[in-house]
Amino acid sequence: EKSMRFMSTTKGEPDCCIIADLNYMEAAATAYILYNILGKELRSSYRCASPRVMMEGEAIPDKAEAALMVCSNGCFLCPHVADVLLQVASLHRCSLLPILSDDSFRFPDEDFFKELALQAPVQGLDVRLYAKIIRVMFKEIAIVFSTYNSRHDDLQLRGRQIVNRIDSHSRSIHSKLNSLLPHSLSGDLEAMQRTSSIGFEGLKVAEKDGENRSEVKDNVLRLYSEEFKGPTTSSSF
């Protein structure tokens, strides 16, 4: 039955969440191509079976076991990315892995964190906590998943590598953060659960979420089919 569960992200809750700056077309395309690849490769996973690209305003389900952050330049200043990463950090079982979609991606340095302190992507954001989430995430070795000039076979290989990492890295970002600041962070994480997703001003659940998702998928499917010259239908998403 597990082989059937990956076929749709609309039936049941996802346990592998893909995060990306969906306002940036290349990052959005990478996220949906990664979703398409993982839908097949996760059949061999013992931790996850149902991937989903997280849309603005969506809440990550408590059952999520893994989150994949598609890293692109400027992504951590995106309100949607900040909101979802805060949700991930509040879950006790969800691991977090960085995925590099672009060879030009610049890893966050001290200049970035100074900019972040001055330009929080979300009103009311605990910038100190958000910065710690980003820093801890990059203690994991990032996996390159670049769709530019990549053959389908290469992307499938990368997909299998990502699944292996999901299965071998079961420690959650929540526990990693707590181990760094055991005396003060637990309160921050509880507060974060109350303010993430629905609680942040300016981040509302899209009234036409299904319509927006369908439009993005159709565009990415068209690009995907043109790139790999293979038959792809919307039912595979």
Side-chain angles (χ1 to χ4, degrees), residues 202-236:
L203 282 180
K204 300 178 181 179
V205 177
E207 294 180 354
K208 298 181 179 180
D209 176 62
E211 179 180 334
N212 293 340
R213 183 188 298 277
S214 177
E215 182 179 352
V216 173
K217 286 180 183 177
D218 288 344
N219 290 336
V220 173
L221 279 165
R222 177 177 55 78
L223 294 173
Y224 184 81
S225 298
E226 291 174 358
E227 178 72 19
F228 298 113
K229 309 299 182 184
T232 310
T233 62
S234 57
S235 62
S236 64

Side-chain angles (χ1 to χ4, degrees), residues 128-148:
R128 180 181 64 90
L129 181 58
Y130 183 46
K132 285 183 173 62
I133 294 170
I134 296 171
R135 290 181 188 274
V136 171
M137 178 183 69
F138 280 112
K139 290 184 181 295
E140 295 283 352
I141 298 175
I143 302 174
V144 177
F145 188 85
S146 175
T147 59
Y148 181 71

Side-chain angles (χ1 to χ4, degrees), residues 175-190:
S175 66
K176 292 178 181 179
L177 289 166
N178 269 324
S179 67
L180 289 176
L181 292 174
H183 299 296
S184 63
L185 194 61
S186 58
D188 289 342
L189 290 176
E190 289 181 10

Side-chain angles (χ1 to χ4, degrees), residues 4 51 93 142 168 171 196 201 212 216:
M4 297 298 295
R93 297 192 306 174
S168 62
R171 190 180 178 196
S196 64
E201 292 184 8
N212 293 340
V216 173

Side-chain angles (χ1 to χ4, degrees), residues 82-99:
D83 177 54
V84 180
L85 285 180
L86 287 168
Q87 292 184 63
V88 170
S90 72
L91 300 179
H92 290 265
R93 297 192 306 174
C94 192
S95 59
L96 178 62
L97 294 175
I99 308 296

Side-chain angles (χ1 to χ4, degrees), residues 45-90:
S45 171
Y46 64 84
R47 284 190 65 203
C48 299
S50 178
R52 186 183 186 99
V53 177
M54 301 305 298
M55 302 295 284
E56 184 173 313
E58 280 189 307
I60 291 184
D62 292 338
K63 66 172 282 187
E65 293 279 349
L68 306 174
M69 178 65 228
V70 177
C71 300
S72 57
N73 288 322
C75 66
F76 298 114
L77 296 177
C78 170
H80 166 62
V81 169
D83 177 54
V84 180
L85 285 180
L86 287 168
Q87 292 184 63
V88 170
S90 72

Side-chain angles (χ1 to χ4, degrees), residues 42-43 63 101-102 111 134-135 150 190:
L42 280 175
R43 297 184 205 181
K63 66 172 282 187
S101 65
D102 189 342
D111 289 338
I134 296 171
R135 290 181 188 274
S150 294
E190 289 181 10

